[in-house]
């Protein structure tokens, strides 16, 4: 390896291990820029829940190509908070179009904001551009070159509107909880919950999930447990390039294994987001077959090259995959569990999901292809409020195959840019 290459490699390494100290890195004449932001503060005491939506959050502005988005929960001093203290149930980031001059008389009749959803396939839920949960510290979100997620295109917002960004953070404080896993799985009895946020009675068979751990609910903590009120933030780092002809746009698709409506009549309302895993039967336990396999079929409206894929699962998850109509594997994503105490390695929590970076041009889907989504959980015990999502990025045009980027997930998710790997 030439000395110059080693030097660049060291710079690249140091820039991914610490929250990027560099503001910009030169990639094939394009400046890779990076900036770290803090969400508004949220406050938690032992057992409490915060599920807030923050509008018009700080975000890079201009016509850009997003390359990565990494996030974690930190305290007032910027110290990462481990999941066994503050369980990060999920965070979601998405653009919306906000009405300019909303005070004018003409504007009174118009909606103040319009959500700018991803490319599908759920109609009402899961419209985000990015969204992860406990796995956020060790899950790569890097979009390989020459691709990028296009944002800030001035042509996109409807007349009179401008693009802004919202973040939803759902965090559960489990310090002193009598049942930490139960609190993170939103078991209704632990939250003493029989009606939902809007006063509707919960169905008898609904024993856990988001309806029982909405904003400002309280999970049961040990009698006499004391813990201070904590001031916390979602700290997020966005990496991007200025938009140019050199960037190939990708579409974002999210497939939900709970979307069980038949492929040709998607109402969209069937993306239920969460589901329940029942404990396996004694017969299956005796045969060592305590696996819950959930499967659904989804139609991808527009095909192309899959350039990135990742799944989202909760504790108990053992892997999820996406298959083409002929059964071929498009992407499998497997969770990794922590083994220790410290933030990023919390015992029994999912601390990362493996990702798919197919050799560009090697994994194709066609317009209207019927895909199969599979989500596996251990059914050693019952799990409530679990998820099985497959997130993929698809490039529509045919591209001459560029050299693949080299990506790693240790000690944090990072990739070598292709201009560098082509020198190695
Ligand atoms: C649980 O909820 C019921 C009714 O909503 C209420 O009467 C009761 O005091 C609550 N119990 C606890 C421990 O908060
Ligand atoms: C899911 O479980 C099935 C049945 O055990 C297995 O064949 C498949 O490989 C699993 N998939 C993943 C992604 O773990």
């Amino acid at each position: 390896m030439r000395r110059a290459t080693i030097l660049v490699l060291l710079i690249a390494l140091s820039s991914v291990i610490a929250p990027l100290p560099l503001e910009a890195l030169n990639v094939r004449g394009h400046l890779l820029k990076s900036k770290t932001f803090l969400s508004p503060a949220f406050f938690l005491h032992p057992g409490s829940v915060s599920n807030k939506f923050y509008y018009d959050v700080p975000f890079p502005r201009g016509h850009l190509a997003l390359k990565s988005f990494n996030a974690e929960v930190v305290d007032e001093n910027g110290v990462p908070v481990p999941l066994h203290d503050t369980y990060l149930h999920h965070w979601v980031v998405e653009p919306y179009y906000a009405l300019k001059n909303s005070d004018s008389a003409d504007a009174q009749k118009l909606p103040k904001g319009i959500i700018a959803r991803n490319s599908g396939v759920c109609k009402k839920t899961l419209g985000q551009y990015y969204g992860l949960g406990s796995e956020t510290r060790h899950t790569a979100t890097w979009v390989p070159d020459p691709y990028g997620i296009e944002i800030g295109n001035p042509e996109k917002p409807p007349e009179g509107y401008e693009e802004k960004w919202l973040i939803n953070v759902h965090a559960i404080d489990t310090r002193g909880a009598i049942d930490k896993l139960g609190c993170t799985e939103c078991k209704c009895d632990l939250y003493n919950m029989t009606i939902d946020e809007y006063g509707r009675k919960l169905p008898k068979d609904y024993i856990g999930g988001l309806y029982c751990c909405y904003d400002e609910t309280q999970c049961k903590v040990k009698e006499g447990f004391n813990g201070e009120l904590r001031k916390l933030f979602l700290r997020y780092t966005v990496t991007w390039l200025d938009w140019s002809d050199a960037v190939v746009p990708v579409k974002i698709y999210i497939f939900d294994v709970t979307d069980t409506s038949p492929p040709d009549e998607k109402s969209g309302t069937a993306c239920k987001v969460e589901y329940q895993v029942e404990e396996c039967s004694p017969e299956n336990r005796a045969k060592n077959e305590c696996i819950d396999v959930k499967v659904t079929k989804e139609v991808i409206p527009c095909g192309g090259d899959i350039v990135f894929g990742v799944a989202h699962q909760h504790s108990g998850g053992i892997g999820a995959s996406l298959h083409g109509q002929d059964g071929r594997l498009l992407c499998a994503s497997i969770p990794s569990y922590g083994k220790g105490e410290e933030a990023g390695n919390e015992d029994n929590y999912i601390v990362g999901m493996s990702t798919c970076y197919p050799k560009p041009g090697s994994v194709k889907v066609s317009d209207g292809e019927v895909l199969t989504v599979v989500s596996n959980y251990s059914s050693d015990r019952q799990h409530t409020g679990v998820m099985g999502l497959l997130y993929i990025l698809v490039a529509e045009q045919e591209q001459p195959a560029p050299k693949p980027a080299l990506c790693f997930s240790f000690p944090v998710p990072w990739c070598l840019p292709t201009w560098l790997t082509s020198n190695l």
Side-chain angles (χ1 to χ4, degrees):
M1 230 186 317
R2 283 169 299 161
R3 186 172 298 173
T5 312
I6 294 172
L7 186 65
V8 178
L9 185 66
L10 284 174
I11 294 169
L13 273 171
S14 61
S15 72
V16 289
I17 288 167
L20 289 165
L22 296 182
E23 280 291 297
L25 194 68
N26 201 307
V27 181
R28 270 198 244 109
H30 301 285
L31 278 188
L32 187 61
K33 296 173 195 164
S34 177
K35 196 159 180 186
T36 299
F37 305 94
L38 285 183
S39 74
F42 52 95
F43 296 86
L44 290 173
H45 57 260
S48 72
V49 176
S50 174
N51 183 24
K52 300 263 192 303
F53 289 79
Y54 306 109
Y55 291 88
D56 197 14
V57 294
F59 211 81
R61 304 288 168 187
H63 194 187
L64 313 172
L66 288 183
K67 295 297 283 183
S68 74
F69 188 105
N70 295 309
E72 68 176 331
V73 172
V74 297
D75 69 13
E76 266 181 291
N77 303 313
V79 177
V81 178
L83 294 165
H84 45 79
D85 280 2
T86 302
Y87 180 73
L88 182 55
H89 186 280
H90 68 257
W91 56 264
V92 155
V93 175
E94 58 188 291
Y96 65 100
Y97 302 131
L99 187 60
K100 297 191 254 182
N101 309 319
S102 54
D103 298 333
S104 76
D106 286 347
Q108 296 300 320
K109 307 179 280 291
L110 297 169
K112 284 211 158 34
I114 303 166
I115 289 292
R117 300 180 58 86
N118 59 35
S119 296
V121 294
C122 299
K123 294 286 186 307
K124 295 196 175 120
T125 51
L126 303 170
Q128 66 265 24
Y129 274 38
Y130 290 105
L132 294 170
S134 69
E135 74 276 31
T136 190
R137 289 191 173 104
H138 297 292
T139 303
T141 59
W142 176 255
V143 182
D145 294 336
Y147 308 104
I149 297 170
E150 184 180 12
I151 66 161
N153 182 342
E155 317 267 281
K156 279 279 170 68
E159 185 69 34
Y161 286 81
E162 61 188 328
E163 186 183 283
K164 292 188 171 176
W165 289 79
L166 77 83
I167 295 188
N168 163 225
V169 183
H170 188 180
I172 303 174
D173 190 311
T174 62
R175 286 174 292 160
I178 61 165
D179 175 358
K180 280 182 192 262
L181 180 65
C183 291
T184 66
E185 291 194 337
C186 302
K187 289 256 161 62
C188 299
D189 57 347
L190 289 170
Y191 287 87
N192 191 28
M193 209 53 79
T194 51
I195 53 171
D196 73 8
E197 199 167 352
Y198 311 103
R200 294 173 300 201
K201 203 164 165 33
L202 294 169
K204 270 233 149 48
D205 57 353
Y206 189 86
I207 58 162
L210 281 168
Y211 291 124
C212 289
C213 61
Y214 52 84
D215 192 32
E216 315 232 312
T217 52
Q218 173 69 40
C219 199
K220 215 166 258 169
V221 293
K222 289 173 200 143
E223 195 92 25
F225 181 85
N226 274 317
E228 81 282 15
L229 184 74
R230 274 192 176 162
K231 184 182 188 180
L232 303 168
F233 303 86
L234 187 76
R235 181 169 68 195
Y236 54 101
T237 299
V238 190
T239 305
W240 73 94
L241 295 169
D242 287 331
W243 189 259
S244 76
D245 289 345
V247 181
V248 180
V250 287
K251 287 196 162 165
I252 301 165
Y253 291 102
I254 298 178
F255 300 105
D256 179 359
V257 77
T258 69
D259 187 6
T260 46
S261 57
D264 49 8
E265 44 179 279
K266 291 284 180 199
S267 62
T269 51
C271 287
K272 295 192 272 298
V273 182
E274 51 179 17
Y275 65 103
Q276 192 162 315
V277 169
E278 297 308 338
E279 186 175 341
C280 66
S281 65
E283 299 81 64
N284 284 340
R285 194 179 291 279
K287 285 187 280 178
N288 230 345
E289 283 173 3
C290 287
I291 296 183
D292 179 274
V293 181
K294 198 169 176 69
V295 181
T296 196
K297 293 203 186 298
E298 296 275 20
V299 175
I300 186 162
C302 298
D305 292 331
I306 297 182
V307 303
F308 172 78
V310 66
H312 171 71
Q313 292 191 307
H314 290 188
S315 281
I318 48 179
S321 56
L322 186 67
H323 305 261
Q325 199 154 347
D326 58 0
R328 73 192 185 285
L329 180 67
L330 302 174
C331 176
S333 175
I334 312 296
S336 54
Y337 285 81
K339 293 186 176 62
E341 281 281 310
E342 69 280 18
N345 185 32
E346 301 90 334
D347 195 20
N348 279 320
Y349 290 87
I350 293 184
V351 296
M353 293 294 300
S354 71
T355 46
C356 299
Y357 284 97
K359 192 168 159 289
S362 68
V363 177
K364 291 181 187 300
V365 282
S366 41
D367 295 356
E369 185 166 346
V370 180
L371 310 182
T372 301
V373 188
V374 181
S375 173
N376 290 352
Y377 273 79
S378 158
S379 56
D380 237 0
R381 49 170 295 170
Q382 185 195 52
H383 293 285
T384 60
V386 303
M387 294 175 71
L389 302 184
L390 243 306
Y391 171 109
I392 57 169
L393 298 177
V394 178
E396 268 174 35
Q397 304 110 288
E398 301 273 319
Q399 289 302 315
K403 281 206 144 196
L406 253 177
C407 289
F408 306 86
S409 59
F410 184 83
V412 293
W414 63 284
C415 296
L416 290 175
T418 46
W419 56 269
L420 181 60
T421 47
S422 57
N423 284 339
L424 294 179

